[in-house]
Amino acid sequence: YQRRVHGGLVAEKDVKGACYALHGFNGKLLSVANSKLQLWKWQAGAGPDGARALEYECHHHGHIVTLTLHSHGDRVIFGDLMRSLNVLEYAPEVGQLEEVAHDFNPNWITAAEVLGGDIYLGAENNYNLYTVGHNTDTTSDDERRMLVSVGQFHLGEFVNQMRKGALVMRGADAERAEGGAPAVQLSPDSLV
């Protein structure tokens, strides 16, 4: 059995700088070029030969080099090489990305991921993993905009990408394994 995957160019756009990340976001496209995060919307029939085209909607700038980009609902989470983790919220009524929270610790982010709700996982250049969350225990607006440390772990390895997943079987997979099918065997090579 062979599965063939065919790809093709859907749309293209020139940006100033190196594009470090692309991310699908609420039917639109987020891109990061150097220090500028841009949101693009799809326009049907606006491209050559009636194809879809990308049209600029809004941006957020003022960072050093943004390397990683994720989203959760209307929130955008990105990691800057020198300015740690930032959380933006997209306001579709006005078409703007506004900063909601920022990690003020000087972590040089190499990878980030949303763990769920208001908790975020970051990896930094000193081989550490750390989690931060929204400061909900305060009444001050300034303190509410700070991401506070929830946990830290020294991994001892450089991380440049994170993906959600599981190391254990759940649901139907676990039941099949108990019914006679072989269980999943993990080796150190399979965890790379």
Side-chain angles (χ1 to χ4, degrees):
Y1 171 74
Q2 280 188 333
R3 183 176 147 199
R4 295 181 187 262
V5 178
H6 299 281
L9 180 65
V10 175
E12 63 183 324
K13 206 66 165 171
D14 289 333
V15 293
K16 294 180 181 179
C19 186
Y20 288 106
L22 292 172
H23 183 73
F25 175 70
N26 295 348
K28 300 177 183 190
L29 182 69
L30 281 167
S31 70
V32 174
N34 293 346
S35 63
K36 191 175 192 180
L37 188 144
Q38 295 177 307
L39 181 62
W40 305 90
K41 58 185 172 184
W42 294 103
Q43 290 296 104
D49 301 327
R52 293 192 315 172
L54 289 170
E55 182 179 301
Y56 169 82
E57 184 168 339
C58 63
H59 73 276
H60 192 270
H61 61 86
H63 315 287
I64 309 300
V65 176
T66 302
L67 295 178
T68 182
L69 180 63
H70 296 280
S71 67
H72 186 264
D74 281 340
R75 293 206 169 162
V76 176
I77 297 85
F78 64 95
D80 189 83
L81 183 63
M82 297 180 189
R83 295 190 63 207
S84 200
L85 288 174
N86 297 271
V87 180
L88 303 176
E89 190 162 70
Y90 175 62
E93 323 66 62
V94 292
Q96 284 186 320
L97 290 166
E98 298 175 10
E99 188 171 274
V100 174
H102 178 83
D103 179 17
F104 288 91
N105 294 316
N107 294 313
W108 287 39
I109 296 296
T110 59
E113 185 61 73
V114 179
L115 291 182
D118 293 335
I119 304 292
Y120 313 105
L121 175 65
E124 45 100 333
N125 69 328
N126 288 322
Y127 314 122
N128 298 312
L129 297 177
Y130 72 99
T131 53
V132 292
H134 288 273
N135 190 0
T136 56
D137 297 336
T138 184
T139 57
S140 167
D141 286 339
D142 289 339
E143 289 179 6
R144 204 174 298 127
R145 294 175 56 94
M146 299 169 93
L147 290 174
V148 294
S149 179
V150 176
Q152 300 174 348
F153 180 76
H154 179 71
L155 184 63
E157 296 288 334
F158 185 84
V159 177
N160 65 0
Q161 189 67 254
M162 291 186 211
R163 291 284 183 235
K164 290 183 180 183
L167 293 176
V168 295
M169 294 183 294
R170 295 185 218 160
D173 292 336
E175 290 171 12
R176 276 196 297 269
E178 290 172 6
V184 173
Q185 298 292 320
L186 293 177
S187 69
D189 296 331
S190 68
L191 299 175
V192 177

